[in-house]
Amino acid sequence: MANLLADPDSGLTPAQLAARHGLRVAGERPSIGAYSGQLWRYRHFISAYAHAKLTASFSNARLGQLWQVLTPLTNAAVYFLIFGLVLEQSRNIPNFIAYLTTGLFIFNFTQVSVQQGTQAISGNLGLIRALHFPRACLPLAITATQFQQLLGSIVVLLAIVVATGEPITLMWLMLVPAVLLQTVFNAGLTMVVARLGAKATDLKQVMPFVLRAWMYGSGVLYSVNLFAENLPGWATAVVQFNPMLVYIELARISLLENTHLLNDSLPLTWLIALGWAALAGLGGYLYFWRGEQEYGRG
């Protein structure tokens, strides 16, 4: 009789007791499949959040969203003055204006995504602690915001390319897959820096210097032939795997007639671009997912 009246939960460990009653750890990281499913269900939230961020970022400016085009154009004008006229890099590059503008617009897409990605978690702690949603929505929304800005910039870029004498050719269509691969690369890299920035809040102070060095090493402002002319062979071979150099070269070869690749192989350049997109996209996603239960705590 005593055994019948005994508490069935007696003698169970806390973990066994929780499992018996269907309790789970608060904030437990879901499986990668379940997490991906959650992200898909929140796709409209990501889109709406990205659009809201884009609108809010220029809400206090008189010219509004026109600044998303004016900013890279202004940078292009400054760099053209320094590198094109003062340092005379334009002598070695046909259509230097279009060459420079293409490099700046493509690099700016990654630069701003990464810079803002460092604060994707640390800058949204109130939202994270108040609402339950897959945290990858935040870095993905940043990438989506910058992608929308890039689309506006590309319209201006195409006008510059035509105005400087470049013909409209079927090669222009290659810009579409090149930008899509870069977008996947940006999304993965933004998730990586988002997780790093969640713990190391000083990362946002260091990142501008890292990005500036990356820009100078990606042939944005000068001919990529300078790498082959001034670096030893092994260093040039390493540089050709620089992801930003690869995406910039693909954009230039798509839009500009008299442009040459550093490795002289278009198939190899596409393979490198695809490899970086797969590595950064998948690797960044997995790296961010593994820290899901940490975001917003402590």
Side-chain angles (χ1 to χ4, degrees):
M1 186 68 176
N3 290 336
L4 291 176
L5 297 176
D7 185 354
D9 293 337
S10 62
L12 297 179
T13 65
Q16 291 171 332
L17 187 62
R20 178 183 176 87
H21 293 279
L23 301 179
R24 305 180 68 179
V25 177
E28 181 184 29
R29 182 183 68 212
S31 68
I32 187 66
Y35 191 70
S36 300
Q38 291 176 13
L39 269 179
W40 175 251
R41 290 192 293 273
Y42 276 84
R43 64 191 183 278
H44 300 300
F45 167 74
I46 295 173
S47 176
Y49 188 64
H51 181 72
K53 284 179 66 69
L54 179 63
T55 303
S57 62
F58 299 104
S59 60
N60 295 324
R62 230 175 244 281
L63 296 179
Q65 296 188 25
L66 189 60
W67 278 110
Q68 67 182 339
V69 175
L70 289 178
T71 299
L73 279 178
T74 304
N75 286 333
V78 172
Y79 287 125
F80 176 74
L81 175 64
I82 302 300
F83 287 87
L85 300 181
V86 177
L87 299 180
E88 298 184 334
Q89 288 296 315
S90 56
R91 291 187 308 175
N92 306 317
I93 304 173
N95 197 356
F96 182 70
I97 294 177
Y99 183 94
L100 174 66
T101 307
T102 303
L104 282 172
F105 280 26
I106 295 299
F107 186 82
N108 188 70
F109 178 31
T110 297
Q111 180 182 36
V112 180
S113 297
V114 172
Q115 183 66 54
Q116 294 187 3
T118 59
Q119 294 183 274
I121 300 299
S122 60
N124 290 287
L125 291 179
L127 181 64
I128 289 171
R129 290 168 179 168
L131 300 174
H132 175 72
F133 61 93
R135 310 314 187 195
C137 290
L138 298 174
L140 288 177
I142 289 174
T143 305
T145 300
Q146 296 310 312
F147 180 73
Q148 291 179 52
Q149 291 194 351
L150 178 67
L151 293 180
S153 299
I154 285 178
V155 173
V156 177
L157 174 60
L158 295 180
I160 292 173
V161 167
V162 172
T164 52
E166 296 291 339
I168 300 175
T169 68
L170 290 177
M171 289 288 287
W172 280 28
L173 296 177
M174 288 205 316
L175 185 63
V176 176
V179 168
L180 291 178
L181 288 176
Q182 186 189 1
T183 302
V184 175
F185 172 79
N186 286 359
L189 190 57
T190 302
M191 284 189 277
V192 170
V193 297
R195 182 177 176 184
L196 294 175
K199 292 295 184 182
T201 54
D202 287 341
L203 183 63
K204 66 179 181 180
Q205 308 298 335
V206 177
M207 193 55 65
F209 302 101
V210 175
L211 291 170
R212 191 172 302 130
W214 197 6
M215 180 180 70
Y216 289 133
S218 300
V220 176
L221 309 172
Y222 43 78
S223 173
V224 296
N225 294 329
L226 292 177
F227 292 122
E229 294 171 3
N230 295 282
L231 294 177
W234 66 268
T236 302
V238 171
V239 167
Q240 74 180 10
F241 286 93
N242 174 355
M244 283 317 304
L245 175 64
V246 169
Y247 293 124
I248 289 171
E249 283 200 304
L250 286 177
R252 284 172 173 161
I253 205 73
S254 301
L255 301 177
L256 310 178
E257 271 198 321
N258 298 312
T259 302
H260 303 285
L261 298 170
L262 181 61
N263 57 26
D264 293 322
S265 173
L266 186 57
L268 177 60
T269 303
W270 277 111
L271 284 175
I272 296 172
L274 181 61
W276 274 116
L279 178 64
L282 182 59
Y285 181 56
L286 292 175
Y287 177 73
F288 186 89
W289 163 75
R290 288 183 63 82
E292 178 73 12
Q293 73 277 13
E294 306 169 1
Y295 305 135
R297 297 185 176 186

